Amino acid sequence: MTYCVGVLVRDGLVMISDTRTNAGIDNIASFRKLHVFEEPGERVLTVASAGNLSVTQSVLSLLNEGFAHPDTGETLLLSKCETMFQAAQLVGRAVREVYRIDGPSLEQQGGRFEVSFLLGGQMKERRLRLYMIYAAGNFIEATSDTPFLQIGETKYGKPILDRAVTFNTDLYDALKIGLISMDSAMRSNLAVGLPLDIMVLRRDALQTELKHRIEAGDPYFEDLRHRWSEALKTAHLAIPRPSYNSLKASS
């Protein structure tokens, strides 16, 4: 499995993904799950994937190489989309196309068609947007009220995002909080692990501001993990212990 998070704030977009994939405790490997499609000055689209690796790779191949529209025969490509909404529709269509080809045989062999995507980015003269696409090909969009979306092993990383992220959060504070969320997932789930891929896109810049891979031993990430652990210890020690015993005794 994996964990990916996208955070859409007033100043821009942050996307983070781990690279862990496994098929059992003795078959663990790393694959890139965060892909950037960029034409500087024209468009930046970022796709993060979670789920069955063969399915996600097939979907990405269709988006890169194109596939025929079932009615018109037109070649559908991510690079031809004129809006982010059209791009989200195309990712959903590619998911359904892969299911049409591989889904029945996968399920006959006892497998599951598990896949989800985050799609974020901006096109020239269009607004910055972030979507989550489901295995059925349908999707939802992040809003100012719900400025982050997650896929994969989401439960351990969600509490920090719920408490700390708003639409007005600074762009690089959003990156920091996203990395704390990723650390929380890594601490509690072996299916999430290093290296991590990160991308930062500033609103209306139309080119990525940061693309970086965090490897094991990365100084900033190691410092962040240590500081967060110490901050949690300090916080819980500062909270008074429960007084329920004394209340019971006094009653």
Side-chain angles (χ1 to χ4, degrees), residues 12 22 35 42 50 54 58 70-71 102 107 122 124 129 134 142 149 151-152 167 175-176 186 203 220 232 240:
N22 67 80
H35 304 269
E42 295 294 327
S54 67
S58 294
D71 299 324
D102 296 333
E107 292 166 352
Q122 186 173 14
K124 190 173 183 179
R129 305 178 82 168
Y134 297 98
L149 295 171
I151 55 175
F167 185 68
L175 174 59
K176 176 178 66 178
M186 290 170 58
R203 189 178 296 271
Y220 175 78
L232 288 176

Side-chain angles (χ1 to χ4, degrees), residues 109-129:
Q109 297 298 318
R112 297 179 61 187
F113 191 84
E114 293 182 332
V115 65
S116 54
F117 292 89
L118 295 179
L119 170 70
Q122 186 173 14
M123 299 185 187
K124 190 173 183 179
E125 299 180 352
R126 303 284 183 173
R127 61 189 175 94
L128 183 66
R129 305 178 82 168

Side-chain angles (χ1 to χ4, degrees), residues 93-152:
R93 187 184 291 275
V95 171
R96 290 191 292 270
E97 178 67 8
V98 173
Y99 179 79
R100 183 185 68 81
I101 297 170
D102 296 333
S105 59
L106 179 65
E107 292 166 352
Q108 286 173 8
Q109 297 298 318
R112 297 179 61 187
F113 191 84
E114 293 182 332
V115 65
S116 54
F117 292 89
L118 295 179
L119 170 70
Q122 186 173 14
M123 299 185 187
K124 190 173 183 179
E125 299 180 352
R126 303 284 183 173
R127 61 189 175 94
L128 183 66
R129 305 178 82 168
L130 172 64
Y131 295 94
M132 178 166 63
I133 297 99
Y134 297 98
N138 57 325
F139 53 86
I140 61 172
E141 182 176 5
T143 68
S144 57
D145 293 324
T146 309
F148 68 86
L149 295 171
Q150 305 165 276
I151 55 175

Side-chain angles (χ1 to χ4, degrees), residues 58-190:
S58 294
V59 171
L60 287 166
S61 293
L62 287 182
L63 295 174
N64 271 309
E65 299 178 13
F67 58 104
H69 190 288
D71 299 324
T72 65
E74 174 192 6
T75 299
L76 302 173
L77 278 166
L78 195 61
S79 60
K80 288 185 177 182
C81 294
E82 297 180 355
T83 68
M84 288 300 300
F85 181 75
Q86 289 179 8
Q89 287 182 311
L90 182 61
V91 175
R93 187 184 291 275
V95 171
R96 290 191 292 270
E97 178 67 8
V98 173
Y99 179 79
R100 183 185 68 81
I101 297 170
D102 296 333
S105 59
L106 179 65
E107 292 166 352
Q108 286 173 8
Q109 297 298 318
R112 297 179 61 187
F113 191 84
E114 293 182 332
V115 65
S116 54
F117 292 89
L118 295 179
L119 170 70
Q122 186 173 14
M123 299 185 187
K124 190 173 183 179
E125 299 180 352
R126 303 284 183 173
R127 61 189 175 94
L128 183 66
R129 305 178 82 168
L130 172 64
Y131 295 94
M132 178 166 63
I133 297 99
Y134 297 98
N138 57 325
F139 53 86
I140 61 172
E141 182 176 5
T143 68
S144 57
D145 293 324
T146 309
F148 68 86
L149 295 171
Q150 305 165 276
I151 55 175
E153 297 287 349
T154 62
K155 56 185 177 293
Y156 299 110
K158 190 173 187 295
I160 177 62
L161 298 171
D162 283 333
R163 289 178 179 272
V165 171
T166 71
F167 185 68
N168 293 315
T169 299
D170 176 83
L171 184 59
Y172 281 86
D173 280 339
L175 174 59
K176 176 178 66 178
I177 296 165
L179 290 173
I180 293 172
S181 172
M182 186 66 68
D183 173 60
S184 298
M186 290 170 58
R187 289 269 182 171
S188 300
N189 195 325
L190 291 176

